[in-house]
Amino acid sequence: MSKNGQWYPPEWPDRIRALSRGELTPVTPRRAATVMLLRDPSPPGPASPAPAAGPDVYLLRRRTTMAFAAGAYAYPGGAVDARDEAEVRWAGPSRAQWAERLGVDAARAQATVCAAVRETFEESGVLLAGRDPHTVVEDVTGDDWEADRGALVSRELSFADFLAARRLVLRSDLLGAWARWITPEFEERRYDTWFFTAALPAGQRTRNASTEADRTLWTSPADAVAGYDRGELLMMPPTVSTLRELAAARLATAADATAAAAGRDLTPVLARARLEGGEIVLSWPGHEEFEKRIDAV
């Protein structure tokens, strides 16, 4: 780890050198989706008249045994499942509108949105779906819900079949597309990840439902990046960047994040490695704080 909490695998320098020598063939990144789940803080009580701060964000810490980003704090999310392209009941912007927003075809747009909603349910127990286009389920904590969630995680049940069996509508309007990051070419496990925002639905609550996480927390984006800056919270560059952006947006409510996301640039961010003198310079275009320099030999 560097002086802050930037995730930097020890094998990266050797892999960067191998890539610069033409000895490493980049793997094709898997499509993925992750959700920055936000909730409004409790209003101040009579003894604390100060106005409530902006929304908190939900983070989980990946287990140290994980092959990718072990020990790092991240948002709920994961890879797109091929079955996420199956037809589902849909509310909100059309598949064509999402395709235009994400810069992909309609099938891939639906799969990405479905993956975002599915992974959020699998990893945090929060479900962005309702009985109709205007409602959201309020309580998904019963044993029957847990059985379905477990079947989704094990891939015994597809998300489309899960929604159909419960007669639920996927609420794509509850998501806002915030950013897109692609794992560097020299990383062994690569992902092309869309970052979405969503407000925690009324009546629902998060829990550590993921076998990949050993801790979860709700915190303000500003406090999260302060912990990163002190070296207390390990994070990957996309997590740090999006947290800084959320803090800078000065959102009044969690719902405001969806509106703020509408005009954001989704040009993918991809790390680059270049030779400069006797050093290899690792940089993320537009995100100078993550630049690293290593010996080229």
Side-chain angles (χ1 to χ4, degrees), residues 15-269:
R15 294 185 65 84
I16 291 172
R17 294 186 191 102
L19 180 66
S20 68
R21 294 191 298 265
E23 299 170 358
L24 181 67
T25 302
V27 300
T28 301
R30 297 180 63 187
R31 286 181 294 138
T34 191
V35 174
M36 300 181 286
L37 197 60
L38 299 162
R39 73 173 183 188
D40 296 327
S42 301
S48 179
D56 289 334
V57 63
Y58 184 70
L59 295 170
L60 51 83
R61 186 174 66 185
R62 295 174 60 82
R63 293 185 183 276
T64 56
T65 54
M66 296 298 294
F68 182 78
Y73 281 85
Y75 311 113
V80 173
D81 187 316
R83 298 180 299 174
D84 288 329
E85 291 188 7
E87 185 174 351
V88 297
R89 294 177 64 200
W90 187 275
S94 68
R95 292 163 179 80
Q97 289 173 305
W98 274 110
E100 182 177 359
R101 178 74 180 111
L102 301 181
V104 297
D105 60 41
R108 290 194 175 200
Q110 176 191 296
T112 303
V113 171
C114 281
V117 176
R118 174 179 53 75
E119 287 284 346
T120 301
F121 181 51
E122 290 181 7
E123 297 198 340
S124 71
V126 171
L127 182 59
L128 304 175
R131 304 295 178 190
D132 57 58
H134 310 291
T135 61
V136 183
V137 290
E138 292 187 355
D139 186 0
V140 291
T141 60
D143 291 342
D144 57 333
W145 287 102
E146 178 57 24
D148 282 350
R149 194 197 64 78
L152 285 169
V153 172
S154 66
R155 300 299 182 259
E156 298 171 26
L157 178 66
S158 73
F159 193 55
D161 288 343
F162 162 70
L163 293 176
R166 288 188 172 271
R167 299 181 180 178
L168 293 176
V169 179
L170 184 146
R171 291 287 306 274
S172 80
D173 54 318
L174 299 182
L175 292 170
W178 189 270
R180 181 183 179 187
W181 287 66
I182 301 177
T183 312
E185 293 180 338
F186 45 81
E187 171 58 43
E188 185 177 5
R189 294 170 178 82
R190 300 189 65 208
Y191 298 93
D192 181 353
T193 307
W194 280 266
F195 287 72
F196 296 90
T197 60
L200 179 68
Q204 293 194 38
R205 60 181 184 271
T206 56
R207 58 192 175 86
N208 186 3
S210 173
T211 58
E212 299 179 354
D214 60 10
R215 183 189 178 194
T216 64
L217 76 157
W218 281 100
T219 181
S220 73
D223 285 347
V225 294
Y228 165 85
D229 289 337
R230 293 192 299 268
E232 298 169 0
L233 300 182
L234 182 67
M235 296 181 194
M236 295 174 284
T239 309
V240 180
S241 175
T242 50
L243 284 169
R244 290 200 194 281
E245 290 164 352
L246 286 172
R250 299 186 179 276
L251 304 170
T253 68
D256 289 343
T258 302
R264 288 188 54 83
D265 181 8
L266 295 184
T267 301
V269 179

